[in-house]
Amino acid sequence: MMERPEGRSQLDYVRRLAESLKKDQEKNGEFRAIGVLGSDVYDKLLILHALRPIFPNAIFFTTDLHAALTHPSEWQSTRNLIV
C-alpha cells in the first residue's frame, strides 16, 4: 500500500528515502553506516523502522538518546543503535 503524499500523515517521504538509498547502494556498494540525525525522536523511529530491514548489515547511529528509543516495542529497530 502506498502512503498518500498529503494530509496530516505524509509518510510517503520515508518510503521514497528508503528506495533512493537502496538505488544508491546498488550503484555504489553496500552502506557500512547510516546516520539518523534530527531533533524529532518519532521521525527517527519512522526512519529506523523503514531502513533497518533494507540495510541489515549497516551500523545505525544518532546524536541524541531519548527514552522512546529504549522502549521494548522499539528494540527490533533500535537494537545496537549507536548514540
XYZ file of all heavy atoms in Angstrom:
674
model
N 0.835 -1.180 0.000
C 0.000 0.000 0.000
C 0.879 1.242 0.000
O 1.790 1.358 0.811
C -0.886 -0.017 1.238
C -1.761 1.183 1.361
S -2.800 1.005 2.828
C -2.807 2.684 3.351
N 0.609 2.162 -0.891
C 1.380 3.399 -0.956
C 0.747 4.447 -0.051
O -0.470 4.596 -0.010
C 1.433 3.923 -2.383
C 2.265 3.060 -3.289
S 2.448 3.776 -4.916
C 3.406 5.220 -4.539
N 1.591 5.170 0.681
C 1.110 6.237 1.538
C 0.765 7.449 0.678
O 1.385 7.697 -0.341
C 2.188 6.625 2.562
C 2.589 5.504 3.462
C 3.673 4.621 2.866
O 4.174 4.928 1.774
O 3.997 3.610 3.472
N -0.219 8.200 1.099
C -0.621 9.391 0.347
C 0.316 10.546 0.692
O 0.612 10.780 1.849
C -2.057 9.757 0.665
C -3.033 8.682 0.205
C -4.465 9.096 0.425
N -4.812 10.334 -0.236
C -5.191 10.435 -1.512
N -5.241 9.349 -2.261
N -5.512 11.592 -2.028
N 0.775 11.312 -0.315
C 1.689 12.422 -0.068
C 0.966 13.704 0.311
O 1.315 14.791 -0.148
C 2.400 12.564 -1.410
C 1.374 12.171 -2.401
C 0.594 11.071 -1.740
N -0.046 13.588 1.116
C -0.814 14.767 1.506
C -1.462 14.520 2.845
O -1.461 13.406 3.351
C -1.894 15.059 0.452
C -2.837 13.897 0.249
C -3.768 14.074 -0.929
O -3.354 14.629 -1.947
O -4.916 13.645 -0.810
N -2.020 15.563 3.419
C -2.741 15.421 4.677
C -1.820 15.447 5.877
O -0.657 15.821 5.803
N -2.352 15.017 6.995
C -1.629 15.086 8.263
C -0.495 14.088 8.345
O 0.491 14.311 9.020
C -2.598 14.868 9.413
C -3.696 15.925 9.462
C -4.647 15.656 10.573
N -4.029 16.149 11.789
C -4.447 15.864 12.996
N -5.477 15.080 13.160
N -3.842 16.346 14.058
N -0.630 12.954 7.699
C 0.372 11.901 7.799
C 1.081 11.733 6.460
O 0.683 10.943 5.630
C -0.299 10.589 8.210
O 0.660 9.573 8.274
N 2.135 12.485 6.252
C 2.860 12.456 4.986
C 4.034 11.490 5.083
O 5.190 11.875 5.030
C 3.314 13.861 4.622
C 2.163 14.799 4.407
C 2.621 16.196 4.051
O 3.762 16.398 3.685
N 1.732 17.141 4.163
N 3.729 10.208 5.206
C 4.755 9.201 5.424
C 5.386 8.700 4.136
O 6.296 7.889 4.178
C 4.180 8.024 6.206
C 3.687 8.366 7.606
C 3.106 7.129 8.269
C 4.803 8.944 8.440
N 4.918 9.168 2.996
C 5.493 8.694 1.743
C 6.964 9.068 1.621
O 7.718 8.408 0.930
C 4.712 9.229 0.541
C 4.872 10.716 0.366
O 4.655 11.458 1.348
O 5.224 11.135 -0.744
N 7.412 10.123 2.325
C 8.812 10.518 2.237
C 9.748 9.434 2.772
O 10.865 9.272 2.290
C 9.066 11.846 2.951
C 9.173 11.753 4.459
C 10.409 11.591 5.078
C 8.054 11.829 5.269
C 10.515 11.500 6.452
C 8.142 11.739 6.638
C 9.381 11.585 7.227
O 9.484 11.495 8.584
N 9.294 8.677 3.746
C 10.128 7.619 4.318
C 10.326 6.506 3.293
O 11.439 6.017 3.094
C 9.507 7.064 5.626
C 10.334 5.923 6.159
C 9.381 8.164 6.660
N 9.255 6.126 2.609
C 9.354 5.100 1.579
C 10.243 5.571 0.431
O 11.098 4.837 -0.052
C 7.960 4.739 1.054
C 7.951 3.669 -0.024
C 6.574 3.441 -0.611
N 5.822 4.651 -0.882
C 6.030 5.442 -1.948
N 6.956 5.149 -2.816
N 5.295 6.520 -2.129
N 10.074 6.826 0.017
C 10.896 7.359 -1.066
C 12.363 7.448 -0.661
O 13.254 7.172 -1.455
C 10.389 8.728 -1.520
C 9.104 8.619 -2.327
C 8.646 9.948 -2.888
N 8.015 10.725 -1.820
C 8.418 11.931 -1.428
N 9.438 12.505 -2.001
N 7.795 12.561 -0.464
N 12.632 7.814 0.590
C 14.005 7.858 1.090
C 14.634 6.472 1.043
O 15.759 6.309 0.569
C 14.023 8.387 2.527
C 15.358 8.305 3.259
C 16.369 9.242 2.641
C 15.167 8.603 4.731
N 13.916 5.474 1.503
C 14.438 4.102 1.506
C 14.721 3.625 0.085
O 15.769 3.025 -0.174
C 13.445 3.171 2.199
N 13.812 3.905 -0.843
C 14.014 3.495 -2.234
C 15.225 4.191 -2.850
O 16.006 3.575 -3.569
C 12.762 3.797 -3.060
C 11.596 2.894 -2.733
C 10.309 3.322 -3.416
O 10.305 4.325 -4.168
O 9.281 2.649 -3.199
N 15.381 5.463 -2.555
C 16.512 6.227 -3.081
C 17.837 5.704 -2.541
O 18.810 5.540 -3.289
C 16.341 7.700 -2.720
O 17.455 8.447 -3.109
N 17.889 5.425 -1.253
C 19.113 4.894 -0.654
C 19.443 3.512 -1.187
O 20.613 3.181 -1.397
C 18.988 4.863 0.869
C 19.022 6.221 1.557
C 18.705 6.066 3.038
C 20.356 6.900 1.361
N 18.419 2.704 -1.421
C 18.650 1.368 -1.959
C 19.251 1.453 -3.362
O 20.171 0.709 -3.705
C 17.351 0.575 -1.976
C 17.546 -0.868 -2.322
C 16.272 -1.665 -2.139
C 16.546 -3.120 -2.422
N 15.383 -3.940 -2.219
N 18.759 2.391 -4.183
C 19.323 2.590 -5.525
C 20.776 3.052 -5.438
O 21.622 2.606 -6.207
C 18.498 3.599 -6.311
C 17.175 3.061 -6.782
C 16.378 4.121 -7.515
C 14.996 3.612 -7.854
N 14.166 4.658 -8.459
N 21.070 3.960 -4.508
C 22.449 4.421 -4.307
C 23.352 3.265 -3.917
O 24.485 3.163 -4.380
C 22.517 5.507 -3.227
C 22.007 6.847 -3.691
O 21.801 7.028 -4.917
O 21.806 7.721 -2.836
N 22.861 2.403 -3.049
C 23.657 1.257 -2.610
C 23.936 0.311 -3.771
O 25.040 -0.225 -3.881
C 22.934 0.511 -1.490
C 23.681 -0.719 -1.012
C 23.027 -1.381 0.164
O 23.420 -1.127 1.281
N 22.041 -2.218 -0.080
N 22.964 0.105 -4.639
C 23.152 -0.776 -5.796
C 24.226 -0.238 -6.732
O 24.970 -1.000 -7.335
C 21.825 -0.963 -6.532
C 20.826 -1.794 -5.749
C 19.422 -1.766 -6.333
O 19.191 -1.064 -7.340
O 18.544 -2.438 -5.764
N 24.319 1.097 -6.832
C 25.323 1.716 -7.703
C 26.700 1.787 -7.060
O 27.707 1.577 -7.701
C 24.899 3.147 -8.067
C 23.857 3.242 -9.133
C 23.778 4.650 -9.660
C 22.595 5.368 -9.079
N 22.436 6.722 -9.603
N 26.741 2.095 -5.765
C 27.997 2.444 -5.105
C 28.514 1.413 -4.113
O 29.564 1.612 -3.516
C 27.835 3.791 -4.388
C 27.446 4.885 -5.338
O 27.999 4.999 -6.425
N 26.468 5.692 -4.950
N 27.794 0.349 -3.881
C 28.228 -0.642 -2.904
C 27.479 -0.502 -1.589
O 26.797 0.485 -1.338
N 27.636 -1.509 -0.756
C 26.885 -1.585 0.495
C 27.246 -0.465 1.466
O 28.411 -0.123 1.645
C 27.167 -2.941 1.159
C 26.313 -3.212 2.352
C 26.515 -4.607 2.891
O 27.669 -5.070 2.963
O 25.516 -5.244 3.225
N 26.219 0.088 2.112
C 26.449 1.096 3.151
C 26.978 0.406 4.396
O 26.459 -0.632 4.802
C 25.154 1.830 3.517
C 24.646 2.745 2.453
C 23.385 2.595 1.941
C 25.438 3.764 1.971
C 22.897 3.444 0.974
C 24.969 4.628 0.998
C 23.683 4.460 0.488
N 27.990 0.993 4.998
C 28.524 0.446 6.248
C 27.896 1.097 7.460
O 27.769 0.476 8.508
C 30.030 0.634 6.293
C 30.735 -0.227 5.278
C 32.193 -0.060 5.418
N 32.877 -1.157 4.764
C 34.162 -1.237 4.676
N 34.926 -0.306 5.206
N 34.715 -2.263 4.073
N 27.546 2.380 7.334
C 26.936 3.106 8.446
C 25.908 4.084 7.896
O 26.080 4.628 6.812
C 27.991 3.858 9.241
N 24.859 4.293 8.686
C 23.800 5.236 8.321
C 23.499 6.079 9.546
O 23.172 5.545 10.613
C 22.531 4.503 7.851
C 22.828 3.688 6.587
C 21.400 5.496 7.598
C 21.687 2.826 6.115
N 23.604 7.388 9.397
C 23.292 8.305 10.487
C 21.868 8.810 10.372
O 21.419 9.182 9.293
N 21.171 8.793 11.486
C 19.802 9.296 11.544
C 19.842 10.530 12.437
O 19.883 10.428 13.660
C 18.827 8.233 12.097
C 17.399 8.759 12.089
C 18.928 6.947 11.284
N 19.882 11.687 11.808
C 20.053 12.942 12.529
C 18.763 13.747 12.512
O 17.995 13.680 11.570
C 21.180 13.752 11.891
C 22.497 13.005 11.691
C 23.491 13.886 10.965
C 23.048 12.531 13.018
N 18.549 14.507 13.553
C 17.353 15.330 13.655
C 16.953 15.450 15.107
O 17.511 14.793 15.984
N 15.963 16.276 15.358
C 15.566 16.502 16.743
C 14.290 15.762 17.135
O 14.011 15.614 18.318
C 15.372 18.002 16.987
O 14.382 18.510 16.103
N 13.528 15.278 16.176
C 12.269 14.613 16.479
C 12.477 13.107 16.591
O 12.783 12.438 15.598
C 11.234 14.930 15.397
C 9.855 14.443 15.788
O 9.661 13.218 15.900
O 8.978 15.295 15.998
N 12.299 12.573 17.770
C 12.548 11.149 18.003
C 11.574 10.275 17.227
O 11.920 9.177 16.784
C 12.518 10.809 19.513
C 11.122 10.930 20.072
C 13.080 9.427 19.761
N 10.370 10.762 17.004
C 9.384 9.952 16.281
C 9.721 9.863 14.800
O 9.496 8.827 14.171
C 7.976 10.484 16.538
C 7.672 10.419 18.021
C 7.683 11.558 18.816
C 7.450 9.193 18.648
C 7.457 11.485 20.176
C 7.222 9.108 20.018
C 7.231 10.258 20.765
O 7.025 10.168 22.115
N 10.294 10.919 14.241
C 10.796 10.846 12.869
C 11.965 9.858 12.796
O 12.068 9.083 11.852
C 11.251 12.215 12.365
C 10.084 13.110 11.979
O 8.966 12.587 11.782
O 10.300 14.328 11.856
N 12.834 9.896 13.793
C 13.958 8.947 13.824
C 13.449 7.514 13.856
O 13.966 6.650 13.143
C 14.847 9.198 15.050
C 15.672 10.448 14.968
C 16.521 10.588 16.226
C 17.297 11.868 16.215
N 18.185 11.984 17.368
N 12.428 7.256 14.660
C 11.882 5.908 14.746
C 11.262 5.472 13.422
O 11.443 4.331 12.998
C 10.849 5.825 15.881
C 11.439 5.817 17.283
C 10.349 6.004 18.322
C 12.211 4.535 17.541
N 10.550 6.375 12.757
C 9.976 6.041 11.448
C 11.069 5.659 10.461
O 10.944 4.690 9.708
C 9.182 7.228 10.895
C 7.831 7.508 11.506
C 7.266 8.815 10.965
C 6.875 6.370 11.223
N 12.149 6.423 10.472
C 13.252 6.165 9.557
C 13.937 4.847 9.896
O 14.246 4.052 9.015
C 14.232 7.351 9.554
C 13.544 8.561 8.914
C 15.524 7.004 8.844
C 14.258 9.871 9.091
N 14.159 4.593 11.170
C 14.774 3.326 11.573
C 13.895 2.136 11.193
O 14.389 1.124 10.711
C 15.054 3.321 13.077
C 16.207 4.209 13.537
C 16.193 4.344 15.052
C 17.530 3.657 13.052
N 12.581 2.267 11.392
C 11.655 1.188 11.022
C 11.725 0.906 9.521
O 11.631 -0.243 9.100
C 10.213 1.558 11.397
C 9.903 1.434 12.843
N 9.488 0.268 13.419
C 9.948 2.349 13.845
C 9.281 0.459 14.712
N 9.562 1.710 14.993
N 11.887 1.946 8.732
C 11.907 1.778 7.275
C 13.246 1.252 6.767
O 13.285 0.455 5.836
C 11.589 3.109 6.596
N 14.354 1.691 7.377
C 15.671 1.385 6.823
C 16.311 0.110 7.373
O 17.082 -0.542 6.673
C 16.622 2.558 7.035
C 16.246 3.864 6.348
C 17.340 4.895 6.564
C 15.975 3.663 4.872
N 16.041 -0.242 8.603
C 16.679 -1.437 9.194
C 16.490 -2.700 8.352
O 17.453 -3.415 8.101
C 16.167 -1.698 10.603
C 16.786 -0.862 11.676
C 18.161 -1.357 12.027
N 18.649 -0.580 13.154
C 19.642 -0.942 13.920
N 20.289 -2.060 13.702
N 20.023 -0.184 14.901
N 15.265 -2.984 7.901
C 15.093 -4.214 7.107
C 15.809 -4.163 5.751
O 16.251 -5.198 5.250
C 13.577 -4.305 6.898
C 12.970 -3.396 7.887
C 13.978 -2.350 8.186
N 15.948 -2.994 5.183
C 16.573 -2.856 3.864
C 18.091 -2.914 3.955
O 18.764 -3.405 3.053
C 16.118 -1.543 3.202
C 14.613 -1.600 2.939
C 16.864 -1.291 1.896
C 14.025 -0.299 2.463
N 18.649 -2.428 5.071
C 20.099 -2.378 5.264
C 20.481 -3.124 6.547
O 20.946 -2.517 7.517
C 20.571 -0.922 5.323
C 20.145 -0.106 4.147
C 19.108 0.800 4.249
C 20.777 -0.254 2.922
C 18.707 1.553 3.152
C 20.390 0.491 1.821
C 19.347 1.391 1.933
N 20.310 -4.440 6.581
C 20.537 -5.191 7.819
C 21.992 -5.228 8.279
O 22.266 -5.440 9.462
C 20.040 -6.602 7.477
C 20.175 -6.690 5.995
C 19.916 -5.302 5.479
N 22.940 -4.985 7.385
C 24.357 -5.037 7.764
C 24.938 -3.678 8.130
O 26.090 -3.598 8.554
C 25.174 -5.657 6.627
C 24.756 -7.085 6.359
O 24.427 -7.815 7.274
N 24.746 -7.471 5.102
N 24.166 -2.625 7.963
C 24.667 -1.280 8.264
C 24.621 -1.015 9.765
O 23.749 -1.511 10.478
C 23.840 -0.231 7.533
N 25.563 -0.212 10.235
C 25.567 0.276 11.608
C 24.773 1.580 11.600
O 25.034 2.467 10.788
C 27.000 0.531 12.101
C 27.768 -0.787 12.135
C 26.995 1.212 13.461
C 29.257 -0.611 12.363
N 23.806 1.699 12.469
C 22.989 2.907 12.557
C 23.439 3.732 13.758
O 23.741 3.193 14.817
C 21.510 2.540 12.694
C 20.893 2.085 11.406
C 21.058 0.783 10.966
C 20.160 2.963 10.627
C 20.506 0.354 9.772
C 19.596 2.547 9.425
C 19.772 1.239 8.995
N 23.474 5.052 13.569
C 23.856 5.933 14.675
C 22.992 7.171 14.675
O 22.385 7.532 13.670
C 25.340 6.300 14.603
C 25.730 7.115 13.398
C 25.737 8.503 13.437
C 26.119 6.494 12.221
C 26.107 9.249 12.337
C 26.499 7.223 11.112
C 26.492 8.612 11.167
N 22.922 7.817 15.832
C 22.184 9.058 16.006
C 22.898 9.904 17.051
O 23.883 9.452 17.642
C 20.714 8.781 16.390
O 19.973 10.003 16.288
C 20.585 8.188 17.772
N 22.405 11.117 17.274
C 23.113 12.036 18.158
C 22.503 12.184 19.546
O 23.184 12.599 20.472
C 23.176 13.437 17.526
O 21.846 13.869 17.211
C 24.018 13.418 16.268
N 21.231 11.882 19.708
C 20.562 12.124 20.992
C 19.868 10.865 21.485
O 19.224 10.163 20.713
C 19.509 13.221 20.849
C 20.090 14.528 20.349
O 21.114 14.955 20.910
O 19.533 15.099 19.396
N 19.978 10.617 22.787
C 19.273 9.495 23.393
C 17.936 9.997 23.911
O 17.861 11.019 24.589
C 20.081 8.895 24.539
C 19.445 7.709 25.238
C 19.234 6.561 24.257
C 20.310 7.257 26.396
N 16.891 9.289 23.569
C 15.545 9.616 24.024
C 14.935 8.325 24.557
O 15.193 7.244 24.025
C 14.726 10.162 22.851
C 13.393 10.697 23.248
N 12.309 9.885 23.496
C 12.963 11.958 23.444
C 11.271 10.627 23.821
N 11.641 11.896 23.786
N 14.125 8.430 25.588
C 13.527 7.245 26.210
C 12.737 6.414 25.208
O 12.683 5.186 25.326
C 12.636 7.658 27.369
N 12.138 7.039 24.215
C 11.352 6.293 23.222
C 12.221 5.304 22.446
O 11.734 4.271 21.992
C 10.671 7.255 22.253
N 13.496 5.603 22.314
C 14.405 4.702 21.591
C 14.702 3.429 22.383
O 15.133 2.434 21.808
C 15.721 5.416 21.277
C 15.635 6.620 20.339
C 16.978 7.339 20.282
C 15.194 6.193 18.949
N 14.478 3.463 23.684
C 14.801 2.310 24.536
C 13.582 1.476 24.911
O 13.712 0.489 25.624
C 15.504 2.766 25.824
O 14.606 3.579 26.591
C 16.763 3.546 25.511
N 12.416 1.871 24.430
C 11.194 1.132 24.771
C 11.241 -0.257 24.133
O 11.644 -0.399 22.977
C 9.962 1.902 24.292
C 8.707 1.353 24.866
N 8.025 0.310 24.296
C 8.025 1.700 25.983
C 6.968 0.033 25.021
N 6.943 0.863 26.053
N 10.841 -1.300 24.886
C 10.892 -2.667 24.347
C 10.178 -2.853 23.004
O 10.618 -3.651 22.184
C 10.227 -3.506 25.445
C 10.486 -2.739 26.701
C 10.424 -1.286 26.294
N 9.135 -2.114 22.748
C 8.422 -2.256 21.472
C 9.248 -1.747 20.296
O 8.941 -2.054 19.147
C 7.082 -1.516 21.513
O 7.291 -0.119 21.617
N 10.314 -0.999 20.565
C 11.167 -0.448 19.517
C 12.481 -1.194 19.362
O 13.281 -0.872 18.489
C 11.473 1.037 19.802
C 10.255 1.915 19.936
C 9.423 1.972 18.673
O 9.915 1.594 17.591
O 8.268 2.413 18.763
N 12.728 -2.179 20.180
C 14.028 -2.857 20.184
C 14.419 -3.444 18.841
O 15.588 -3.459 18.483
C 14.074 -3.927 21.256
C 14.205 -3.370 22.642
C 14.441 -2.078 22.992
C 14.088 -4.093 23.857
N 14.475 -1.941 24.347
C 14.266 -3.174 24.910
C 13.844 -5.411 24.158
C 14.219 -3.539 26.242
C 13.803 -5.781 25.494
C 13.981 -4.856 26.519
N 13.473 -3.933 18.077
C 13.825 -4.515 16.782
C 14.471 -3.476 15.863
O 15.387 -3.791 15.120
C 12.587 -5.108 16.111
C 12.912 -5.846 14.832
C 11.729 -6.586 14.275
O 10.645 -6.572 14.836
N 11.927 -7.232 13.146
N 14.031 -2.241 15.956
C 14.582 -1.180 15.117
C 15.747 -0.442 15.756
O 16.600 0.106 15.065
C 13.499 -0.166 14.758
O 12.513 -0.769 13.976
N 15.780 -0.405 17.081
C 16.809 0.399 17.756
C 17.946 -0.422 18.358
O 18.892 0.149 18.893
C 16.177 1.263 18.870
O 15.574 0.410 19.840
C 15.150 2.222 18.303
N 17.873 -1.720 18.240
C 18.930 -2.577 18.807
C 20.283 -2.212 18.202
O 20.419 -2.043 17.006
C 18.612 -4.040 18.512
C 19.602 -4.985 19.135
C 19.122 -6.425 18.962
N 20.039 -7.315 19.604
C 21.010 -7.970 18.958
N 21.151 -7.833 17.661
N 21.814 -8.757 19.612
N 21.274 -2.056 19.033
C 22.651 -1.717 18.642
C 22.774 -0.344 17.983
O 23.741 -0.080 17.298
C 23.264 -2.789 17.747
C 23.441 -4.097 18.463
O 23.669 -4.123 19.669
N 23.330 -5.186 17.750
N 21.796 0.513 18.194
C 21.875 1.888 17.709
C 22.961 2.609 18.501
O 22.969 2.587 19.720
C 20.532 2.594 17.896
C 20.452 4.057 17.481
C 20.561 4.191 15.956
C 19.123 4.671 17.955
N 23.877 3.227 17.810
C 24.964 3.966 18.475
C 24.519 5.406 18.686
O 24.076 6.064 17.750
C 26.252 3.909 17.639
C 26.716 2.464 17.528
C 27.327 4.807 18.248
C 27.907 2.284 16.586
N 24.645 5.870 19.936
C 24.259 7.242 20.272
C 25.509 8.010 20.628
O 26.306 7.584 21.422
C 23.254 7.266 21.453
C 22.869 8.704 21.790
C 22.024 6.459 21.110
